[in-house]
Amino acid sequence: MLIQKVYASFKRLLPTALSKPLRALMTALLTPAYFSWLTGHWQSALRGKPLNRAGAPIPWYTYPAIQLVENKDYRGRTVAEFGAGNSTLWWAQQAAQVVAFEEDEQWFNYLKSRVPANVELHHLPVDLTGIDTKLGDRRFDVVIVDGLDRFKAVVVARRILKPGGLIIVDNAEGYWGAEGTYPIMDFMRAEGFQRLDLYGFAPGCCCRTVPQSSGKMRRSYLPGRKIQKTTCAPPAKDPS
């Protein structure tokens, strides 16, 4: 690791009484900066959208979530996405086809000229009116719920998911029922889906959490939730 290499140079020149405090200080100061550079977090924060170190689009999930999904092979797979953004561009590079639905007309128009040919992008009301007509009888290997009415979207996601497929849900615990209730998580549990929580930072912001499913892509879902941002704010439009 970079910090260890830098520390090794000083360790040979300094007595232990000085080298150990120096190492602790270097770790405290340099590790966050190195993480930010390595993951693209720094660039994401400055540019207001989720990007990797090379400046390419990535989903607005936590970094553990991104690492989990990016290490699977989606060639030949189909993806449906409720809530479009940089994640749509990322999934388009991984899968054979992406069908994405977006409620915000301005954001939809912005994305329309930027998505590649294998993305089918639709503008849809938040209550999912007209979704059945647009979907037809299609089924998908991966379904992401990160926008629109998320409880309704999860119900649709369950219906259109292929056997052995994966559902990713952001903010699964809130906003979709009476206070203290968790209708999305209750629904997924009743349907027999697994849940495994992974926490971490997300591109360009702090203290975002996204629980995850198990590594097996079988009857699994990746619910997600946010807690209070502490040091920075998300972009005006969540480009996830």
Side-chain angles (χ1 to χ4, degrees):
M1 187 177 177
L2 177 62
I3 296 174
Q4 293 172 330
K5 292 179 179 179
V6 173
Y7 170 72
S9 301
F10 288 97
K11 184 179 180 180
R12 293 191 295 267
L13 303 175
L14 297 174
T16 303
L18 291 178
S19 64
K20 285 188 175 181
L22 178 62
R23 179 179 182 178
L25 181 62
M26 290 173 62
T27 299
L29 295 177
L30 296 181
T31 297
Y34 181 68
F35 166 83
S36 189
W37 170 80
L38 186 66
T39 59
H41 183 275
W42 174 265
Q43 185 167 193
S44 300
L46 292 178
R47 297 178 62 181
K49 53 186 176 181
L51 304 167
N52 65 15
R53 185 175 61 187
I58 56 175
W60 204 33
Y61 312 153
T62 62
Y63 286 112
I66 294 170
Q67 290 171 355
L68 185 137
V69 298
E70 72 182 1
N71 285 306
K72 296 185 180 296
D73 185 358
Y74 303 99
R75 287 175 296 180
R77 304 287 188 174
T78 55
V79 175
E81 188 177 35
F82 294 88
N86 266 25
S87 58
T88 309
L89 303 178
W90 184 85
W91 282 107
Q93 295 177 344
Q94 315 301 320
Q97 184 186 31
V98 178
V99 179
F101 302 96
E102 174 56 41
E103 66 188 77
D104 187 302
E105 187 173 5
Q106 184 176 356
W107 187 245
F108 166 80
N109 290 329
Y110 172 84
L111 290 172
K112 190 164 54 174
S113 62
R114 290 168 171 80
V115 295
N118 66 332
V119 173
E120 184 182 315
L121 183 63
H122 298 277
H123 180 240
L124 202 67
V126 67
D127 63 0
L128 274 64
T129 299
I131 185 68
D132 291 337
T133 301
K134 296 184 184 300
L135 283 172
D137 59 357
R138 290 181 289 184
R139 298 293 182 267
F140 299 87
D141 299 291
V142 181
V143 185
I144 301 105
V145 178
D146 195 12
L148 297 97
D149 185 311
R150 301 192 194 202
F151 181 75
K152 290 183 178 180
V154 163
V155 175
V156 174
R158 177 67 187 97
R159 174 170 56 83
I160 65 175
L161 187 68
K162 291 182 180 179
L166 175 69
I167 296 176
I168 303 173
V169 187
D170 193 25
N171 299 115
E173 89 297 350
Y175 316 122
W176 324 117
E179 185 176 355
T181 66
Y182 307 97
I184 290 178
M185 291 192 287
D186 291 342
F187 173 78
M188 299 303 291
R189 186 183 303 112
E191 290 293 313
F193 282 72
Q194 304 171 26
R195 175 187 171 191
L196 173 63
D197 292 351
L198 298 180
Y199 298 88
F201 292 105
C205 67
C206 303
C207 297
R208 182 178 171 90
T209 65
V210 178
Q212 294 285 340
S213 78
S214 71
K216 296 181 180 179
M217 291 180 61
R218 179 172 178 79
R219 293 186 65 79
S220 301
Y221 82 109
L222 287 67
R225 58 173 178 247
K226 298 179 193 173
I227 60 177
Q228 182 65 39
K229 309 282 192 307
T230 56
T231 60
C232 55
K237 165 65 184 179
D238 182 344
S240 49

